Amino acid sequence: AATNNVQINPNNNYSYGTVTAILNAVIAKSIGEKQAILTNFGVTENGLNIQKENPEMVNNVLQYLEIQEANQPNKKAVVMNNDEFITFGELAKRARIVGSFFAKFGLKNQAIPVLSNQSINSLILFFGVLYSGNYYVPLDIDTPKDRLDTILTNCDAKFITGCIKNFDSYGLNIPYYFIDDIKAEENCALLKQIRNNHTSGDPIFMVYTSGSTGTPKGVIKSHNSVINFIESFVTTFDLKDEVIGN
């Protein structure tokens, strides 16, 4: 098939980012704009034969954090309403310490529930879980016992982590690791080994539906899915080195 002079091979499997690039190119206002979009995703005018998921060949979301750590380690990565903040360098280092701690359990692509709130510690735990080669399941700190029990069973959780010191585990027989109690040395060799075994298709997080119509169901997203969204979002809105808050 051909779309706006862009040749599409129906026998190839294209990533979300590539398909988005094609659609954006179709509606682009000028030839120059179209070519810029396609080039950004490794797409050529004479066919989609370049196997390139994103411009920098990022295959792990942690690479975004590490790029910022290397380029501007002292820049504020997150600022809270109470003016509490953490730099990219500090965020990455603390995440690797958490990751080194979790990595000692020898798990791979395992769901790790994180009792989280809107805090810097929650982000440290999310990134730390990823460094350990696993994926996080964000859970509200006020999750009811029945729902928590269902989710822990469904995702076959081996333990829970979180930023709540006095967590009431409702009597559930599962270990809980409070972030301030996680003590470990940064094990660079182990983290490198984990990264070498990583693929872009590995899961990054799982969120559960409300369960209002039945049992809560987990929805998993992969690193590749998130990376393609980020690349497309940044390109579409022409984001630069600016601050984005939520």
Side-chain angles (χ1 to χ4, degrees):
T3 306
N4 202 22
N5 295 325
V6 179
Q7 300 300 314
I8 301 175
N9 184 347
N11 296 320
N12 286 357
N13 292 321
Y14 303 119
S15 68
Y16 173 83
T18 297
V19 174
T20 301
I22 297 170
L23 294 176
N24 286 340
V26 170
I27 62 175
K29 297 179 181 179
S30 67
I31 295 177
E33 182 182 353
K34 180 181 71 173
Q35 187 56 51
I37 293 172
L38 294 175
T39 300
N40 190 42
F41 282 86
V43 182
T44 63
E45 283 285 358
N46 60 356
L48 302 176
N49 299 318
I50 299 178
Q51 300 303 312
K52 186 176 182 182
E53 292 179 338
N54 53 77
E56 281 96 27
M57 296 304 292
V58 175
N59 71 356
N60 190 311
V61 167
L62 290 173
Q63 289 174 256
Y64 291 116
L65 174 61
E66 291 163 352
I67 289 171
Q68 294 303 316
E69 178 191 17
N71 293 335
Q72 39 193 4
N74 298 320
K75 183 175 180 179
K76 293 179 181 179
V78 182
V79 181
M80 304 301 294
N81 290 335
N82 60 0
D83 293 331
E84 176 190 8
F85 71 89
I86 188 170
T87 65
F88 283 108
E90 293 168 337
L91 177 58
K93 181 175 180 59
R94 291 188 62 186
R96 283 193 292 268
I97 290 174
V98 171
S100 298
F101 178 83
F102 291 151
K104 71 179 184 180
F105 294 103
L107 304 173
K108 167 65 175 175
N109 286 339
Q110 169 68 44
I112 298 182
V114 179
L115 286 172
S116 56
N117 52 18
Q118 294 183 358
S119 68
I120 290 174
N121 280 343
S122 292
L123 293 176
I124 293 171
L125 289 172
F126 291 159
F127 283 124
V129 168
L130 298 182
Y131 268 113
S132 73
N134 298 289
Y135 62 99
Y136 60 89
V137 182
L139 298 174
D140 188 87
I141 59 175
D142 297 320
T143 301
K145 179 184 183 303
D146 290 344
R147 176 177 171 82
L148 180 62
D149 194 12
T150 299
I151 290 175
L152 295 180
T153 301
N154 180 265
C155 71
D156 191 28
K158 308 304 181 185
F159 58 83
I160 309 175
T161 186
C163 43
I164 309 303
K165 183 173 180 59
N166 299 313
F167 167 61
D168 181 359
S169 62
Y170 305 116
L172 299 175
N173 187 25
I174 185 169
Y176 173 72
Y177 297 101
F178 174 49
I179 186 171
D180 288 353
D181 294 334
I182 294 177
K183 309 297 182 184
E185 294 292 331
E186 187 176 330
N187 192 332
C188 297
L190 179 56
L191 296 184
K192 181 178 180 180
Q193 179 183 348
I194 291 172
R195 183 68 64 84
N196 289 340
N197 292 325
H198 167 86
T199 69
S200 62
D202 286 346
I204 180 172
F205 66 82
M206 177 164 61
V207 293
Y208 277 84
T209 61
S210 64
S212 58
T213 59
T215 303
K217 297 177 178 61
V219 180
I220 295 179
K221 288 294 185 180
S222 68
H223 281 259
N224 192 45
S225 176
V226 174
I227 289 168
N228 282 329
F229 170 78
I230 291 173
E231 298 293 348
S232 179
F233 191 88
V234 169
T235 301
T236 300
F237 294 98
D238 192 27
L239 299 183
K240 306 299 182 184
D241 186 15
E242 300 170 347
V243 176
I244 298 179
N246 184 350

